[in-house]
């Protein structure tokens, strides 16, 4: 029998370019400015994506999809902070798209077990992404994360 899973989504619109958003998601120096105290990114399909932050704790993922400027998909390894993750994988998909001259950055998480023991973790993930994206918007506005050099 297939287990039920839940998910989450957070997003925001910005005037920042897709390149600046991509830099914020994939360059360790930029991740340190808004998300993590430690960051390792091997920018390629199959690469490692590891962060340590006060919002999420220690997390490590495999990059499943790496489409520069458009999509980053991460499949997470279970952590000590999470309840057991039987028969499913936690996936976060970051999508950058453009509408009416604005860019939209979304994170969509899936694969969260519907078991009661995961309820607090799901709330933590939803809340953490809302706070993290608020911080990212501040860093984009104050120039801490800038356009890549040509």
């Amino acid at each position: 029998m297939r287990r039920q899973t839940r998910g989450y989504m957070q997003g925001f619109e910005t005037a920042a370019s897709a390149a600046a958003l991509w830099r914020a998601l994939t360059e360790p120096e930029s991740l340190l400015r808004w998300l993590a105290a430690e960051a390792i990114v091997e920018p390629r399909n199959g690469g490692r994506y590891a962060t340590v932050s006060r919002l999420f704790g220690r997390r490590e993922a495999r990059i499943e999809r790496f489409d520069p400027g458009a999509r980053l998909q991460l499949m997470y390894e279970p952590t000590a902070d999470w309840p057991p993750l039987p028969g499913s994988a936690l996936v976060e998909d970051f999508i950058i798209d453009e509408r009416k001259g604005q860019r939209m950055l979304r994170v969509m998480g899936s694969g969260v077990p519907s078991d009661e023991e995961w309820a607090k973790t799901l709330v933590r993930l939803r809340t953490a992404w809302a706070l993290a994206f608020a911080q990212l918007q501040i860093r984009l506005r104050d120039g801490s994360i800038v356009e890549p050099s040509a």
Side-chain angles (χ1 to χ4, degrees):
M1 178 163 80
R2 188 175 162 154
R3 297 179 71 120
Q4 294 286 0
T5 61
R6 296 181 282 184
Y8 51 93
M9 185 181 83
Q10 282 292 337
F12 67 93
E13 287 186 346
T14 180
S17 70
L21 292 170
W22 189 252
R23 172 178 258 186
L25 292 172
T26 61
E27 290 186 1
E29 303 80 28
S30 294
L31 285 164
L32 297 176
R33 291 188 176 104
W34 69 277
L35 179 66
E38 298 175 31
I40 298 169
V41 179
E42 296 170 354
R44 60 180 168 75
N45 285 326
R48 180 177 173 213
Y49 194 99
T51 59
V52 176
S53 74
R54 64 178 179 80
L55 293 173
F56 295 99
R58 182 175 300 277
R59 300 197 320 159
E60 185 154 345
R62 179 177 188 270
I63 298 173
E64 293 293 311
R65 187 163 175 179
F66 191 84
D67 300 335
R71 187 170 178 190
L72 176 68
Q73 185 179 66
L74 306 174
M75 183 180 299
Y76 284 92
E77 299 290 328
T79 75
D81 294 340
W82 292 349
L85 192 58
S88 67
L90 183 65
V91 174
E92 286 181 340
D93 215 347
F94 297 87
I95 298 174
I96 300 168
D97 62 6
E98 185 169 338
R99 293 188 184 148
K100 299 179 183 175
Q102 293 279 308
R103 259 66 51 217
M104 169 71 83
L105 173 60
R106 286 189 298 271
V107 60
M108 293 179 285
S110 61
V112 178
S114 60
D115 304 347
E116 188 57 37
E117 64 186 335
W118 270 89
K120 286 183 182 177
T121 302
L122 179 60
V123 169
R124 181 179 179 197
L125 288 166
R126 287 177 175 157
T127 304
W129 276 118
L131 294 169
F133 276 1
Q135 185 67 25
L136 176 54
Q137 290 175 76
I138 290 167
R139 295 297 167 236
L140 289 165
R141 281 193 301 267
D142 74 10
S144 297
I145 299 171
V146 296
E147 300 294 322
S149 303

